[in-house]
Amino acid sequence: AGTSCAPRDRRKKGFMIWTSDGACYRNVHPDHLQVYDMTEWTKGSTHPGNSPERNPIKDFAERGLTLLRFPEDHSVSRWADNKKRFQNIGRLGDHVSFSDLPEVLRTRQVAAAFNQIELPRGNGVVVCGSPGEVSNDLSLQGNFRKGGFGLYTRFNRVASDQQFGEQRKQIWNTIALTAKDQLRQRMAWALSQVLVVSPDAVGAPMNTEAHVNYYDIFVRNAFGNYRDVLKEVSFSPLMADMLTYIDSKSTSFMWTETKGTSLQLPDENFAREIMQLFSIGLYELFPNGNPVFRNGSPIRTYTNDDIEEYARVWTGFRRRPLRGNLERDLGVVNRLDPMDIQSSWRDKFPKMGLNRQYIGDGFPLCVDLQDKHFLRVGAKYQRVGSTGQPELQVDPLRWGTSQLPNRLRASPGGALFDALCQRDASHCQYPITVILPRDIECSGDECNVDTVRTIEAEPGIYYEYVRPPCVEQAFYENGKKVVSHNHHHDFVMCADPRRVAANAACCTPRTGCSGNCFHAEIRGEMYWGERVKYSTAEQRCTSNTLCDSPHLVQYCREPDPDSLNMCSGNPKLLTHYWTTSSCSLRAKVNQDGKVAIVHAPENVDSGKIMDFVRDTTSTFFRVDWDIENFDEGAPLSRVVLEIEKVCEPTIDGAYLCDVSVEDKEVYSESSGPRSVSDMLSKLKIGSFPPSMDAPTLSFEFNDMIVHNPNSAIDDRFTGQTVFQATDDNGVTHFRKNLKSVVKIAGTPLSFRNPVHFVNLVDEEPRDMYYETDAALDHYFYHKNTAPFLAIRLAQRFGNSNPSPSYVSRIAGAFQSGYYVSGGQTFGTGQYGDLASTVAAVLLDPEARTLGLENDPSHGSLAEPLLKVIALMRSLEFTPSDVHPFVNFKAPLQDLIGENAYDVQSVFSFFLPEFTAAGSRASVSGLVTPEAQVLTSPRVIATLNGLFSLLRWGLDRCYGGFGFSEGGNPTRCQPDANYGTLSYQPSASDPYTTVDELATLLTAGRLNEENRNIARNLINTASSPSEGLIKAQQLIVSSGEFHGTGTVQQRGEARPAPSQPSPKGGDYKAVVYIMLAGGYDSWNMLVPEECEGTNDQGKNIRQQYEEERGVLAFLERERTSTVSVDEKRQKLPQPCSKFAIHDELKFVPELYDDGDLAFFANAGAITRPVTKHNYYKRTETQLFAHNAMQHEARRLDPLGAVPDTGVLGRTLDILTNHGFESGAFSIDDPSVALRGTSGHSTPPAVVSRAGLTPFNPAVTDKDDEWNILGQIKEVNGQTTPESSVYGDFWSGALHQSLQETDDLGSALDKTPLGLELPDGATDDEKIMATVAQLIKSHKNRAVDRDVIHASLSGWDHHKSTKPNLRNRFKEMNSAMTYFIDEIKASQLWDDVTVIITSDFGRSLAPNSGEGADHAWSGHYMMFGGSVDGGQIHGQYPFDITANGKLTLGGGRGRIIPTLSWESILNGVVQWVGVETDAELNEIMPNRMGTGTVLFNETDLFVQKTSLRPSRGKGG
């Protein structure tokens, strides 16, 4: 014991210290007297001392003991290691609400033990479930697939993973077949294809409830408002998983967490896709959906700088805690409830979005909040739990389990109390939400506060005041220093004295002391957590003074509620306190013209300033500079030149500038706004509606109402003037006649004062939710959103190419909220109304005018899944008694290309802009989205499944879509199916039967010739049932069933392709591999031993490790390397040795063998660019998956030869030279293979699963069920007046049948030499298919092959390193198999494989340890003829922010120095293209990129090549 502590006491325990005021403190363990639920240690062998004979913890509890003494012979580390097993409840003596106990403790037994069986009135807790959530009904029974559903939990599984994955599909199928609200369900299905979540992409493929809950967003809002859809989707944890913004954190948070060692940026994924895919699209549109052009090119809707800004909005989102009554999967996380926002993770700073609009423009300033705004009309109060903890503001967590907090109480009998009470007879009702209908008077303490947080109505009943949305200005004058204190450290910032932002602490100097005199700190707040204005704080301290450096400010009720120094052990809050010191703001400007806020408090060491506003901050944001010709493509050189003259340079290459703020009138006395749009474009500062109790002159002016709230009322425009106007979307705005400008001292530069929602001093989740809403409004009210969605919905409801006037009418219904048809009005009159929108889609003359089905371009192909559902509904599917829910077998997505809850990517099942190569639709410039999945394998599988359904019911029999109750899938058992089609014609004659079927299956469009063929099948059948089934099979194979138009036939069969004959000479194959998603090549080819340096003297390895941060390759991972042979390099490389990812074992082996070469820093290039002009000079929509994949396959950025690809055009040239060629893509079609229609061999799609024969139930051409001849007749050649969609189906079927026969025969004769491993990956199956195609070239009689394959799964926005490792491991296995097979087949010298990707990834990591979309990447090419062992192009010497190739924004995006043309130029020469004219025809922009063009001699080992002796074609 003693009266002081000494350094030597640090390792002592148990001693006591007496303080000068007589208190005695004993040193104890931090967990002393903490209360824990230790049930876990009573189970089995969880506790080391447990045995069948003894259970120490359980015995202890059953003896009625509560204080557990830690055994002295145990190491304290044992407790530290194990306490995480136990739920901490609080400290002994704390008051804990029963409703706040952990779920496992909220039992009747625990309640009874504490006399809480009946909770006192008012102590209820507000609990919100998900929309439509119900409790489980245990009376409902049924096994899995037999009327019941299983829940996937980590404790219990009643079915296999596959069966769990089927449950949500069963629900969808059954609803689609039986629900009475079919239009609602149909609209939900359409919306689900716009706002896509893929179960496989969210880590919950077996979960049912979460996915159904997400889909219900669309069901619930099908006729609601699209704004609600956008918000619910944005807050969905599934969407956040899918697009990786869950747990995304701000740059400032990560900078603080890593102590300034790592610059990690927010994830960009969702910020990109919500614009590209969910709202505004890639290019500006007119209201009729036509693109807007400038200088011959479509205008992009957004830039990558926009994405970087919006990415900061999507920080802070996290899952809500796990709760009861929801399905739990292995992840044990809440995938159901809308996410909340973790305030500390959120980016707090201004964000400038689309069209130079700050998020928050148009909102009123918080400094303009009316006095006592919490008592004004419209003030909102939300009831919260019994502890008073607010939901939208942050109070210390311990306040929720303590009786200590002093909350503001509503005065009984006062107007606010009465408004909250809403008394009914003798009882208060206390509704969940209260909105004041009028201004009310204050009462009691309410009159002495600037605002309220939570207010107590009566014990246990609390309301949170939800302050209306308003914004802060980033820069202001006359700032004051505010101080907070935590862990014995002061933290200092600036605050706007006009804002309710900090607390009051009053100080009185002590008298009679000498030397170091302390101040007595007197509390100046009316309730805990109060915030006040500076002027209020001064008033609270009228008899004293505001403390300039308040220290340990604590809250207490006893013994002296006015003293801040006499309480002990009570909760402390990191609250800011006003001081009398001044505090100025400065602007930190970087080389990109972006700005950061720096606080400069008076006489304060910079180490005490909060790091996110310190002069070392790296949190920059865009500002609206007042300079001419502002554009991302124009350099902000003027800004940099001016500021470097007068501003202070910082160590990170930025400049620290003094600033001033000037507010000025926009419209003067003599000139007002010309129109509403003029006013809205110039006035950005919003206003609260003018107060009714203030003198105001209001008058009309140019479709606006002008309010002059001024004591000197007149009709002039002043800084006090407020303009009121309603825009074209029906939104009413109030705007102040002011513009706030930030001026850079000593320069002519200025920028518009940015606004932001989150107060930097008082960060509340409420304002973060407001900011999210405002960002959503940027997308929602964008002029593109209405026509963008109009086109998408028209396509999903059966019109692939809606006319501009049709789109305009749909968009008009979306914008106005009304649609009138037949005297009936649909919609609510609100912008974004989906009821009016879908009414316009379905009731417009273009959708329902008779005769339109005869327009060849009108209509669409039918969606694959909807065809199956339509057949089942039309022919009266009846499920079996034991299988009441409809269930298709798992691979339906692979079989037909579409399945509920089985979409493969955020781009949905098919692209809305897809065109079918070589089809009449394509030639006519029409899109055919559904054609993207109508590949030969799927065409065959679709008919096989439909034929099986018609003949045997829902079964797996002969390619059927269903399951069987055991047995062989080719041994069809009558009673084994899951349901049958019960339709019977109303009459037995063939005419009536076929006419009925034509009505049911083709809406009567089936032409008379095809009807007669069907009737003949009935007439010649051996039984009526056989005839009916054959007629049905014939009709579902027709173009009228698969498309929505009429078909007119020429009476001629479709011609068979000419049979190729061997031409002799050498064989060559090019395999073009797309690593779809954008793979991280910075961790494929990694600087190892590097000599070259940048201007700062750092070599590339040092730069790489600094820029990559947590993504950098570690020393232990650098086990595989390749050396650079300087003699072979045309350009110097910065390193003599590079590391190769250790999972890519085949790469260094081939490189060292001279069979593999790298292409460094390559990508899509339109013209030579710099970091300042790249945006204007690049035609490709950079950083977008579909656009950049498209360009990597086409190599035609200027659209010189539209609808063709680089390999297809190559085949056209080879055909001219007499080469027989084959073109194949694996699983899906590729534009890369498209050539001129009818010129070279059309590309074929081959499934990685192999070929499936058509109608496998028919094994003999004489089989009575063989109707192949009739099917070909029904799908013969059509007239020009026939539907292009029906014609496409018939052509696709014809090609599929031909390919199945010809290719199947060739592949049957070409078995693979090496067996695939058990459980082969998709990559291995794909590369095995590629190898088999190459091996079959002699049986196919071709000289050249081009093969395209996509390996998916490379879009690693989160956890890039482990995900990349897994994919590289799978890729290595697949490539090793392929290489071994090709070498064993003696074809190694004849094959060249090129590895490409959409784009590279960013060097800088995001906060999820992922990498975002970038531009250049490093790629490779290998094969026996490749002149390998070298790196083509040049690995960058400088990848820092100052590098000439590094784009702004801090992400580490590098401009390519090699183009795709650089690589493909020599490759197409290798296969036989020779002249410059031919090369220019294949790559129209070849000479425009400004990059080197490698020739065949640069890339390949020279060999004598034999050309076929005779030519072919023109």
Side-chain angles (χ1 to χ4, degrees), residues 429-444:
Q429 299 303 303
Y430 294 124
I432 295 294
T433 301
V434 173
I435 298 177
L436 300 185
R438 61 185 180 279
D439 291 352
I440 60 176
E441 295 294 327
C442 64
S443 178

Side-chain angles (χ1 to χ4, degrees), residues 248-364:
S248 180
K249 302 173 182 67
S250 68
T251 302
S252 60
F253 177 85
M254 296 306 298
W255 185 256
T256 302
E257 283 293 291
T258 62
K259 295 180 171 53
T261 61
S262 178
L263 183 65
Q264 299 182 32
L265 304 168
D267 189 298
E268 293 181 351
N269 204 3
F270 186 66
R272 183 185 312 279
E273 308 303 3
I274 192 174
M275 290 192 288
Q276 179 183 344
L277 301 177
F278 302 167
S279 57
I280 68 176
L282 289 174
Y283 300 105
E284 288 190 17
L285 303 174
F286 288 108
N288 64 8
N290 286 338
V292 181
F293 284 84
R294 180 189 297 152
N295 299 326
S297 298
I299 302 173
R300 301 182 184 99
T301 52
Y302 59 83
T303 70
N304 211 64
D305 274 1
D306 293 327
I307 291 169
E308 290 176 358
E309 293 285 297
Y310 283 118
R312 298 192 291 116
V313 174
W314 303 108
T315 54
F317 286 85
R318 63 177 183 179
R319 295 184 183 90
R320 291 189 183 271
L322 196 63
R323 63 172 175 86
N325 200 41
L326 55 80
E327 184 178 14
R328 306 182 186 188
D329 57 24
L330 292 177
V332 198
V333 294
N334 186 340
R335 303 185 190 275
L336 196 71
D337 296 324
M339 297 178 292
D340 66 2
I341 296 176
Q342 171 62 36
S343 58
S344 62
W345 297 351
R346 181 74 169 207
D347 185 283
K348 322 169 196 18
F349 294 95
K351 303 163 182 72
M352 190 171 80
L354 296 164
N355 303 318
R356 298 168 65 183
Q357 302 297 307
Y358 294 123
I359 298 176
D361 275 351
F363 282 81

Side-chain angles (χ1 to χ4, degrees), residues 1106-1155:
E1106 290 177 4
E1107 297 296 324
R1108 293 244 81 183
V1110 295
L1111 299 182
F1113 226 45
L1114 303 177
E1115 191 65 41
R1116 66 174 181 269
E1117 296 170 307
R1118 297 170 175 267
T1119 57
S1120 179
T1121 60
V1122 297
S1123 297
V1124 176
D1125 185 348
E1126 294 183 6
K1127 297 178 181 179
R1128 305 196 61 209
Q1129 294 297 138
K1130 291 188 176 181
L1131 293 172
Q1133 299 298 340
C1135 305
S1136 58
K1137 184 178 289 187
F1138 286 88
I1140 305 299
H1141 197 288
D1142 49 308
E1143 291 291 355
L1144 292 176
K1145 296 177 174 54
F1146 80 95
V1147 173
E1149 293 175 3
L1150 293 183
Y1151 183 92
D1152 292 341
D1153 288 343
D1155 289 345

Side-chain angles (χ1 to χ4, degrees), residues 389-711:
Q389 284 289 94
E391 295 179 356
L392 298 175
Q393 300 168 92
V394 177
D395 279 349
L397 292 177
R398 288 192 65 187
W399 288 12
T401 58
S402 170
Q403 296 298 307
L404 292 173
N406 177 19
R407 307 283 191 188
L408 189 69
R409 294 183 176 92
S411 298
L416 180 57
F417 177 86
D418 290 343
L420 300 176
C421 167
Q422 296 196 15
R423 191 179 302 277
D424 179 12
S426 59
H427 296 289
C428 288
Q429 299 303 303
Y430 294 124
I432 295 294
T433 301
V434 173
I435 298 177
L436 300 185
R438 61 185 180 279
D439 291 352
I440 60 176
E441 295 294 327
C442 64
S443 178
D445 287 344
E446 301 157 14
C447 299
N448 300 317
V449 297
D450 288 337
T451 190
V452 298
R453 293 172 67 81
T454 56
I455 190 163
E456 186 178 28
E458 65 176 71
I461 299 292
Y462 293 90
Y463 281 86
E464 178 179 11
Y465 169 55
V466 184
R467 196 212 66 207
C470 58
V471 294
E472 317 286 344
Q473 289 181 316
F475 293 90
Y476 46 85
E477 301 281 4
N478 305 315
K480 288 294 182 180
K481 181 181 77 174
V482 292
V483 180
S484 62
H485 186 85
N486 191 40
H487 303 301
H488 309 290
H489 294 286
D490 287 338
F491 295 96
V492 179
M493 295 179 66
C494 299
D496 188 339
R498 301 170 295 172
R499 283 288 290 117
V500 177
N503 215 323
C506 310
C507 287
T508 303
R510 287 185 178 180
T511 58
C513 68
S514 61
N516 186 16
C517 291
F518 294 92
H519 292 71
E521 298 169 343
I522 308 301
R523 72 181 297 156
E525 71 270 14
M526 300 294 297
Y527 58 89
W528 285 14
E530 184 187 11
R531 276 76 159 164
V532 298
K533 298 177 183 178
Y534 179 78
S535 58
T536 303
E538 283 188 310
Q539 293 170 9
R540 299 270 177 93
C541 300
T542 52
S543 60
N544 305 294
T545 183
L546 282 174
C547 301
D548 189 62
S549 182
H551 286 285
L552 189 59
V553 180
Q554 297 180 321
Y555 304 83
C556 59
R557 286 179 169 175
E558 300 294 344
D560 181 358
D562 292 324
S563 173
L564 296 175
N565 280 334
M566 299 213 32
C567 48
S568 62
N570 295 335
K572 296 183 286 290
L573 171 63
L574 185 62
T575 301
H576 289 87
Y577 290 85
W578 290 108
T579 74
T580 55
S581 297
S582 63
C583 193
S584 61
L585 276 69
R586 307 181 77 188
K588 184 178 180 181
V589 186
N590 71 8
Q591 295 288 338
D592 299 321
K594 295 183 178 180
V595 170
I597 300 170
V598 173
H599 287 188
E602 183 180 32
N603 300 321
V604 172
D605 179 80
S606 64
K608 290 187 175 182
I609 301 173
M610 295 294 284
D611 51 8
F612 56 83
V613 288
R614 202 176 296 162
D615 56 12
T616 56
T617 180
S618 293
T619 302
F620 293 93
F621 50 86
R622 290 193 301 181
V623 297
D624 188 7
W625 288 99
D626 188 16
I627 57 177
E628 296 180 357
N629 301 320
F630 179 91
D631 189 36
E632 184 181 359
L636 291 168
S637 55
R638 178 183 168 189
V639 171
V640 178
L641 287 174
E642 292 288 346
I643 65 173
E644 65 185 7
K645 296 177 184 177
V646 298
C647 297
E648 174 187 339
T650 62
I651 59 173
D652 54 0
Y655 297 89
L656 200 56
C657 306
D658 293 326
V659 297
S660 61
V661 179
E662 177 184 319
D663 291 344
K664 53 187 180 182
E665 299 172 7
V666 177
Y667 297 108
S668 64
E669 298 180 12
S670 58
S671 63
R674 296 187 304 273
S675 63
V676 172
S677 60
D678 177 53
M679 183 273 290
L680 292 176
S681 68
K682 293 179 180 177
L683 301 184
K684 304 298 184 182
I685 300 175
S687 170
F688 293 102
S691 174
M692 293 291 99
D693 58 4
T696 303
L697 172 67
S698 300
F699 58 91
E700 294 186 1
F701 182 87
N702 288 351
D703 297 324
M704 292 166 276
I705 300 175
V706 181
H707 304 280
N708 271 344
N710 197 311
S711 56

